[in-house]
Amino acid sequence: LKAELSFDEPDTTQTDVYLYSRCADYGKDGKILGSMVQAGKLISDDNTRLGYCAMVGGNTVIGIARNEAVRDYTMENNGYFFRQFILVSNGEIPRVFHLHKKVERRALACMDDHIYYIESRHAETMWDFADAIRRYGFIDAIYITGGDQPSFYRTSDGEHHLIGNPENMPSMRNKQLAPYIIFRK
């Protein structure tokens, strides 16, 4: 699958979409929190979040870095990039988390050169969610926002399956601000 970022939410009739989810946060002013690149264009310049996801030429990687070398590479190669909170880095969880209440959680995580999309079944603290991911053996993981907001995945037979709660759609005012990561065939 090839990943990209979009501000347009896909729908279930787009049969080339195999998974999509919210990915990055935005502030009250509508500004994306964390650096973001969309199709080579810099959308936001903010390296305060150390986790990242980079997508170039059909390849997707997650990692941890303060410098913007990977972001710059995605810009030079017409790729996609966003920053998010670290959950696991090199098999270790951070000492401090910035989000504290219990909510449904999502993550992108890496194990054996594969990237996995992970979702909690129940409300969890960031620490408990990160610890569970680490215990399963994931080496690196970054947070994905939008815990119980609706999205979907598609199985290899083409059937789509809803994820999250359809009643928790972002308001139309905020919908244009929400970036999505979309995995297409």
Side-chain angles (χ1 to χ4, degrees), residues 2 11 31 79 84 107 122 134 138 179:
K2 293 182 180 181
D11 66 44
K31 184 176 175 358
Q84 197 43 276
H122 308 287
R134 180 188 59 80
F138 291 96

Side-chain angles (χ1 to χ4, degrees), residues 1 3 6 10 13 18 23 50 55 59 79 83 87 90 109 149 177:
L1 300 177
S6 177
T13 63
Y18 272 68
C23 61
L50 301 182
M55 301 143 273
N59 296 311
R83 285 195 172 276
L87 292 172
N90 199 25
Q149 290 183 356
L177 305 174

Side-chain angles (χ1 to χ4, degrees), residues 4-8 32 35-44 55 71 74-75 77-82 176 178-182:
E4 64 184 43
L5 300 179
S6 177
F7 288 91
D8 297 320
I32 299 296
S35 296
M36 178 177 276
V37 174
Q38 183 184 30
K41 180 182 175 197
L42 184 65
I43 304 296
S44 176
M55 301 143 273
R71 182 205 65 188
T74 63
M75 288 172 58
N77 291 279
N78 205 35
Y80 303 86
F81 178 94
F82 70 93
Q176 298 305 315
Y180 299 94
I181 186 169
I182 301 170

Side-chain angles (χ1 to χ4, degrees), residues 17-88:
V17 174
Y18 272 68
L19 172 71
Y20 88 96
S21 178
R22 290 265 318 274
C23 61
D25 295 308
Y26 53 87
K28 291 179 183 178
D29 60 358
K31 184 176 175 358
I32 299 296
L33 303 176
S35 296
M36 178 177 276
V37 174
Q38 183 184 30
K41 180 182 175 197
L42 184 65
I43 304 296
S44 176
D45 184 15
D46 169 15
N47 70 351
T48 56
R49 295 182 178 189
L50 301 182
Y52 67 81
C53 178
M55 301 143 273
V56 175
N59 296 311
T60 302
V61 297
I62 62 171
I64 314 302
R66 181 169 302 283
N67 72 51
E68 296 288 25
V70 176
R71 182 205 65 188
D72 295 346
Y73 179 84
T74 63
M75 288 172 58
E76 293 165 6
N77 291 279
N78 205 35
Y80 303 86
F81 178 94
F82 70 93
R83 285 195 172 276
Q84 197 43 276
F85 293 117
I86 301 168
L87 292 172
V88 180

